[in-house]
Amino acid sequence: MIVYVCEGGIDYEAPTNIFHKLVIGNTLGYLLYDAIYGEVYHVHDMFMRFHHLMGIIGAFAIYYSANTGSIGVLSAIVGEISNPFMLYRHILKTEGKDNTAIFKFVEYTFVTLFVFNRSVIGNILIFNTWSVNNSFPILMAATGLQIVGMFWVYVIMSMVSKRL
């Protein structure tokens, strides 16, 4: 987030710099860890496997690309900013605090961030990523991640509609 703000937003054709590589490298490390963890402990379904595969391909492609670092930074923000709320929600649920005000706040914050980022910001990011000259692996990974993201938006909105 700091890199994105300090650079004044996104430039779809800016040269990749060391700050972009730092963000993408950390994102890649997290994706690799989470993919391995999920397989070892059998907690991932087909969609999470596809999500991790597209993320890993995209992160490698962005990391080694000369001009997609800015796209990678915004992609990491869009894709991961809701995760702390999802994880805290799981912690509260595990502790039996799923009927508390803080749980509801965390849950609503997660849903709002996830749905807004995937369905609004993510679609703008995909459109602009396809509008400039990017490599095929970056376009495919970005599109694959957006498809999985929109699937999860559908799943989350279905859960929300059942609660209403």
Side-chain angles (χ1 to χ4, degrees):
M1 186 71 111
I2 293 169
V3 172
Y4 178 77
V5 171
C6 288
E7 290 188 341
I10 187 168
D11 181 349
Y12 288 91
E13 297 178 293
T16 300
N17 63 45
I18 191 68
F19 299 111
H20 298 147
K21 288 190 179 273
L22 182 65
V23 172
I24 301 307
N26 280 303
T27 301
L28 180 58
Y30 169 75
L31 286 168
L32 288 168
Y33 156 78
D34 201 42
I36 292 167
Y37 176 90
E39 293 307 313
V40 168
Y41 291 100
H42 309 288
V43 295
H44 287 163
D45 58 13
M46 176 186 69
F47 294 104
M48 283 304 289
R49 287 184 185 107
F50 185 72
H51 163 80
H52 283 104
L53 178 64
M54 292 297 102
I56 290 166
I57 290 169
F60 268 116
I62 288 169
Y63 191 85
Y64 290 106
S65 173
N67 66 341
T68 55
S70 190
I71 293 170
V73 169
L74 184 57
S75 297
I77 293 168
V78 167
E80 305 302 328
I81 200 163
S82 60
N83 278 0
F85 297 96
M86 178 188 64
L87 295 172
Y88 190 43
R89 180 183 169 277
H90 286 302
I91 291 168
L92 290 169
K93 197 171 196 172
T94 301
E95 293 175 346
K97 298 179 181 176
D98 51 340
N99 289 323
T100 62
I102 188 69
F103 180 85
K104 297 292 183 199
F105 172 78
V106 169
E107 187 171 50
Y108 295 146
T109 303
F110 165 72
V111 168
T112 302
L113 284 171
F114 189 94
V115 169
F116 179 78
N117 281 340
R118 296 307 196 292
S119 45
V120 177
I121 309 274
N123 284 320
I124 293 168
L125 179 62
I126 287 295
F127 177 81
N128 290 331
T129 300
W130 275 86
S131 298
V132 296
N133 187 19
N134 282 307
S135 69
F136 184 73
I138 288 171
L139 295 175
M140 290 300 96
T143 303
L145 283 168
Q146 186 62 12
I147 290 168
V148 171
M150 293 308 295
F151 167 78
W152 287 114
V153 166
Y154 170 76
V155 169
I156 289 170
M157 293 310 292
S158 295
M159 289 180 196
V160 168
S161 69
K162 288 178 185 175
R163 287 188 182 181
L164 298 177

